[in-house]
Amino acid sequence: MSKRKLSQQQAWRIEKIQRERARRAARRDVGAVEALEGGELGPEQDGLVVAHYGTQVTVESEPGIAQRCHLRANLEGLVTGDRVVWCEGDGMGVVVAQRERHSVLSRPDPYGKLKPVAANIDQILVVVAPFPEPHANLIDRYLVAAEAMGIEPVILLNKTDLLAANPGLDASLERLFGMYTTLGYRVIRTSIKNSGLEDLQLALRARTSVFVGQSGVGKSSLVNALLPAADMRVGALSENTQKGTHTTTTARLVHLECGGSLIDSPGIREFGLWHMNREQVERGFRELRPLLGACKFRDCRHEREPGCAVLAAVESGAIGAGRLDSYRRIIASLEEA
Ligand SMILES: Nc1nc2c(ncn2[C@@H]2O[C@H](COP(=O)(O)OP(=O)(O)OP(=O)(O)O)[C@@H](O)[C@H]2O)c(=O)[nH]1
Ligand SMILES: [Mg+2]
Ligand SMILES: [Zn+2]
């Protein structure tokens, strides 16, 4: 799980290569945009980015009417969910401006640089499954990030059909999700084979949601179960490791019949929070919030300090030891970085 950030030298070398590549791509694109603008372009209109691929995006003017587009200079950071102004072209269109975002889900790339993943989302669904086995620390990282963005997270346990054959796992997952429910997080259980899809539909109505989580938990399968026409690519788990095989490679937005929009995103191995500081992480653990400032020492690290309110709460059972462990691992990863 804890693959560290690359060394500075490695990061610098890779960045140099990427910068050069981006520069070449941008030059190509400027050429393409100029060629398009010299020809016949339609009038400016509002649009929604429904997929992004390197230096191009697919923009939709209304559900079902979309075109692949080049980007005018300085619009490289566009992601799925962005609202834009664009012009239809013959074959390819051009995005000419980006509208302001009301929210953005970002995460640092392996070089420590913060990269947007999806924009204008109202809800983050953290998808987990019995297989690949969930990591509580990864769930907590998503919860912390969601709290920091002020976006309501929902935990979605998929593949519940596999639980009957794995009673031990069933019991441990029940404990884990019972804990999240007690903390006030909503937990939805689904199986693409037989259950929970109505609850999920209800949770997705009238807003834009994003599916995030490990590879192989069934994010794309769930999109297909809700909307067969989406025809998302789905990949089996690797036979020997029971891990996902990174089937989805780009975030894509679809419109559901229930009136909501849903963004499917590529599965991840780890979710770095290097861009956050200790206070933000602390606030991201809901149950720590009322205790902040209650420790004897103002800069208490909640390790073994006397008069630590957090340790006392763990002792009394008010805070789960697993969550404290998760908190410490996140803080340690910030310090490593
Ligand atoms: N038994 C069972 N298998 C499921 C369920 N949902 C998905 N799967 C299987 O899980 C595997 C992975 O599904 P995907 O939908 O590709 O997973 P993903 O989360 O989109 O993975 P990435 O795109 O790699 O991030 C496939 O073999 C699916 O058939 C479910 O509810 N029950
Ligand atoms: Mg997928
Ligand atoms: Zn403390």
Side-chain angles (χ1 to χ4, degrees):
M1 267 294 287
S2 89
K3 187 181 65 185
R4 272 182 224 169
K5 260 190 358 174
L6 301 175
S7 81
Q8 284 218 312
Q9 212 191 359
Q10 276 173 317
W12 179 81
R13 210 174 321 120
I14 295 169
E15 248 206 68
K16 196 173 140 209
I17 296 171
Q18 286 195 332
R19 250 199 326 266
E20 178 56 27
R21 230 184 251 152
R23 207 171 54 79
R24 276 202 304 267
R27 217 164 41 208
R28 255 197 327 272
D29 270 21
V30 168
V33 169
E34 280 168 358
L36 279 168
E37 287 180 332
E40 287 286 290
L41 276 183
E44 291 191 352
Q45 53 179 329
D46 281 314
L48 171 67
V49 175
V50 292
H52 62 275
Y53 315 86
T55 61
Q56 297 176 357
V57 295
T58 301
V59 179
E60 184 184 85
S61 48
E62 55 186 274
I65 302 184
Q67 190 173 41
R68 188 91 162 224
C69 291
H70 288 294
L71 310 175
R72 259 203 199 147
N74 303 322
L75 291 175
E76 294 83 14
L78 283 185
V79 291
T80 301
D82 264 318
R83 303 240 157 227
V84 295
V85 179
W86 70 294
C87 302
E88 235 177 289
D90 185 16
M92 291 283 283
V94 179
V95 177
V96 297
Q98 172 182 11
R99 299 245 185 242
E100 213 174 304
R101 295 169 172 161
H102 74 72
S103 71
V104 60
L105 171 66
S106 306
R107 63 190 199 93
D109 65 12
Y111 321 113
K113 212 192 233 155
L114 206 57
K115 286 272 161 72
V117 178
N120 297 318
I121 41 188
D122 308 305
Q123 180 169 254
I124 296 179
L125 288 105
V126 183
V127 186
V128 294
F131 302 103
E133 270 193 59
H135 296 286
N137 189 246
L138 181 62
I139 301 174
D140 289 335
R141 281 167 182 265
Y142 271 119
L143 297 179
V144 167
E147 299 273 1
M149 289 182 285
I151 299 176
E152 190 68 19
V154 172
I155 300 171
L156 177 54
L157 173 63
N158 186 35
K159 309 197 191 184
T160 51
D161 55 289
L162 301 178
L163 289 173
N166 298 277
L169 192 55
D170 189 9
S172 74
L173 290 180
E174 273 312 310
R175 269 198 305 281
L176 185 64
F177 295 120
M179 186 268 294
Y180 287 120
T181 308
T182 308
L183 288 175
Y185 292 110
R186 178 161 184 205
V187 179
I188 300 176
R189 293 167 170 75
T190 56
S191 158
I192 59 161
K193 312 236 156 155
N194 54 24
S195 70
L197 294 173
E198 304 74 23
D199 286 350
L200 180 56
Q201 293 261 21
L202 283 178
L204 297 175
R205 264 192 318 189
R207 61 188 77 180
T208 300
S209 308
V210 61
F211 275 169
V212 297
Q214 281 170 270
S215 173
V217 293
K219 300 179 291 300
S220 304
S221 306
L222 282 166
V223 177
N224 288 342
L226 295 167
L227 184 74
D231 198 21
M232 298 283 183
R233 212 153 73 78
V234 162
L237 301 191
S238 126
E239 269 186 27
N240 30 10
T241 64
Q242 288 297 296
K243 292 237 163 83
T245 46
H246 295 276
T247 309
T248 302
T249 53
T250 183
R252 215 180 106 200
L253 181 149
V254 298
H255 303 284
L256 301 173
E257 271 152 27
C258 63
S261 299
L262 178 57
I263 300 176
D264 184 21
S265 77
I268 59 159
R269 279 195 194 84
E270 61 165 13
F271 187 37
L273 292 176
W274 303 306
H275 55 296
M276 296 182 64
N277 60 35
R278 172 185 281 269
E279 286 76 50
Q280 287 172 311
V281 173
E282 249 167 14
R283 299 198 66 76
F285 281 80
R286 291 190 166 176
E287 65 275 46
L288 293 186
R289 263 184 235 163
L291 300 175
L292 298 180
C295 299
K296 183 168 167 198
F297 300 107
R298 211 169 53 82
D299 58 349
C300 185
R301 302 166 66 84
H302 325 307
E303 297 284 354
R304 56 181 72 79
E305 293 86 343
C308 171
V310 172
L311 292 177
V314 172
E315 190 72 27
S316 76
I319 288 182
R323 287 274 284 176
L324 180 65
D325 179 54
S326 202
Y327 163 80
R328 285 178 175 155
R329 282 171 57 181
I330 294 171
I331 295 295
S333 71
L334 305 188
E335 287 167 357
E336 255 171 37

